Amino acid sequence: MVKTNSSTVERARLTQLLIAKSVIEALFVALVAVGFYYTTFSPHYRGWSDVADAKQVAGWALNETAAGEPVEVQVYIDGRFAGDALANRPRPDVLKAGRSTTEFCGFQFETPPLAAGEHEARVYVVHGSFGGTRRTLQQIGFPLRFSITAEDARAIR
Amino acid sequence: MRQLAFWEIVSLASTALIAVWAVLALATTRWLLIVPVALAFSFIILSHRIRRETARELGWRTDNFWEAMRLLALPMLAAALLMALIGWFMGSLRVAMPEKRTALLWLPFAGMAWGLTQQYVLQAFFNRRAQMVWGKGWISVLVVAFIFALIHLPNWWLALATLAGGIIWAATYQRAPNLLALGLSHGIMTWVLISTVPQSALQSLRVGFKYFG
């Protein structure tokens, strides 16, 4: 009888231990994941892709915590790297709209020669994280779809 | 209690996998590894206390040291010869030495301590729990070896070596539970491994997410 009680107590204590460990572990992993997301995809980067067509891909981007320092942006068309630049072109409209504390936050890329048809442009802010050991491409705005006509394609060539 | 032993195995293996795959990949600093390590050791020690396992039962003893060493000698020699052959064929045979001479004073002890720590977790916890679930014998030995190898993925060379080592050490522990002998064997075999198998294959013994960079 004593043995049965002892075994039941042991079982209960082991079960409690397993549950407690699982809860602590789940909370820890959740915290690590949130920390990773916050560090890697910082909420301080803002911007928008305004235009994508046969001639250009343009928009604005900035780091709210360092508005005076232009951020690096990269454009990918159909998933392929198409250009890299600093977002430091004047955009008085963004300043006027209160979205930025500086007007020098615009970017503009010349659209590379593309075949006629449907295409998609995505713009990313590039920034370092984890003490500069990792570089993150953080998408700004939404992907922009645009068409290149046969005429456009010929003109670009 | 058998079912609980199974869940103890699953729980601790999960902690190890979280440490090498999630924390090393996602954490902003490696210091955060302290959390799963502390959690794992607290769990192991509390589990020993709840199950009333004595240090002697766990393998912290000296009376069967030579018996364990005798059981380990032949498989260790065979494994060392096999690794030396691999190293000879692949031209990677060397005497692995630390860059700083002063490290010679403490590195062997550090290697043994690391081996002993791993063997304590592997045998005194995983092996004993596996024996509670599947009894003594090949099934529990293989379970321990597979868990040991799983933690060393995706480093295939290391996973293979730990699978083989895991079988030898787990089988020895079931016959002569002595952690000191196993820790010593682990330290020696690690040195043999890094002295024979090409560095490009071992990837500096990195495991989990760290293996990729």
Side-chain angles (χ1 to χ4, degrees):
Chain A
M1 193 64 186
V2 173
K3 198 177 175 184
T4 312
N5 283 341
S6 160
S7 175
T8 310
V9 171
E10 276 180 23
R11 188 174 294 139
R13 287 183 68 193
L14 260 178
T15 309
Q16 285 166 358
L17 179 65
L18 276 165
I19 293 170
K21 179 180 170 287
S22 305
V23 170
I24 294 170
E25 217 155 53
L27 285 172
F28 172 67
V29 172
L31 279 174
V32 169
V34 169
F36 171 78
Y37 187 82
Y38 189 81
T39 314
T40 311
F41 303 103
S42 168
H44 301 300
Y45 289 95
R46 289 173 155 267
W48 200 255
S49 311
D50 298 319
V51 182
D53 58 27
K55 291 178 184 160
Q56 62 167 342
V57 178
W60 62 273
L62 61 93
N63 177 0
E64 279 182 333
T65 56
E69 293 170 26
V71 296
E72 183 185 349
V73 285
Q74 289 187 355
V75 63
Y76 286 75
I77 296 178
D78 300 332
R80 288 185 186 156
F81 177 75
D84 176 84
L86 285 178
N88 57 5
R89 288 173 163 260
R91 283 294 301 262
D93 56 317
V94 177
L95 178 65
K96 201 175 167 186
R99 307 299 301 274
S100 168
T101 52
T102 172
E103 70 172 271
F104 299 101
C105 59
F107 62 82
Q108 187 181 21
F109 295 95
E110 260 184 49
T111 305
L114 295 168
E118 288 287 314
H119 297 280
E120 185 187 71
R122 288 173 187 256
V123 180
Y124 299 90
V125 163
V126 184
H127 62 92
S129 58
F130 293 85
T133 55
R134 291 182 195 174
R135 273 161 69 85
T136 302
L137 268 67
Q138 188 167 331
Q139 187 174 303
I140 53 165
F142 293 109
L144 292 176
R145 295 195 67 80
F146 61 101
S147 302
I148 300 273
T149 61
E151 269 178 39
D152 288 335
R154 270 198 299 275
I156 292 166
R157 278 192 203 110
Chain B
M1 291 298 267
R2 270 184 68 190
Q3 258 190 339
L4 280 174
F6 174 79
W7 286 113
E8 282 181 80
I9 292 171
V10 171
S11 179
L12 197 70
S14 307
T15 306
L17 292 174
I18 284 170
V20 296
W21 283 102
V23 179
L24 285 177
L26 305 178
T28 47
T29 164
R30 282 185 186 163
W31 284 102
L32 276 178
L33 271 177
I34 288 172
V35 177
V37 170
L39 198 60
F41 279 97
S42 308
F43 177 68
I44 292 170
I45 291 163
L46 284 171
S47 172
H48 289 326
R49 287 191 61 176
I50 293 169
R51 289 183 180 275
R52 295 196 187 92
E53 293 172 304
T54 64
R56 187 181 159 78
E57 281 172 339
L58 298 177
W60 295 112
R61 54 202 274 193
T62 50
D63 62 308
N64 60 352
F65 178 82
W66 293 110
E67 167 66 4
M69 285 308 289
R70 190 185 63 78
L71 290 169
L72 285 167
L74 199 63
M76 274 174 72
L77 194 67
L81 280 173
L82 180 69
M83 285 192 270
L85 266 176
I86 292 171
W88 186 62
F89 274 117
M90 299 187 87
S92 55
L93 209 56
R94 66 206 174 279
V95 178
M97 284 287 183
E99 282 174 20
K100 287 182 183 172
R101 290 282 165 201
T102 48
L104 272 172
L105 296 171
W106 59 266
L107 207 62
F109 295 104
M112 298 300 162
W114 181 229
L116 190 60
T117 309
Q118 288 193 54
Q119 288 300 326
Y120 164 63
V121 176
L122 202 61
Q123 312 304 343
F125 186 83
F126 282 117
N127 200 335
R128 286 182 63 85
R129 299 297 171 273
Q131 286 181 64
M132 287 172 193
V133 182
W134 294 284
K136 269 189 183 181
W138 279 110
I139 297 176
S140 50
V141 164
L142 285 175
V143 166
V144 174
F146 273 116
I147 291 170
F148 196 34
L150 180 73
I151 294 163
H152 290 85
L153 286 174
N155 192 331
W156 286 102
W157 272 94
L158 206 50
L160 199 67
T162 48
L163 180 71
I167 291 171
I168 295 166
W169 291 318
T172 304
Y173 182 83
Q174 291 195 1
R175 293 174 68 183
N178 188 296
L179 291 173
L180 300 172
L182 292 169
L184 184 66
S185 162
H186 193 133
I188 292 169
M189 294 318 286
T190 305
W191 180 76
V192 173
L193 184 76
I194 59 173
S195 296
T196 51
V197 176
Q199 292 285 357
S200 55
L202 286 178
Q203 296 279 342
S204 305
L205 304 180
R206 284 182 292 197
V207 300
F209 182 80
K210 213 174 152 191
Y211 177 80
F212 299 109

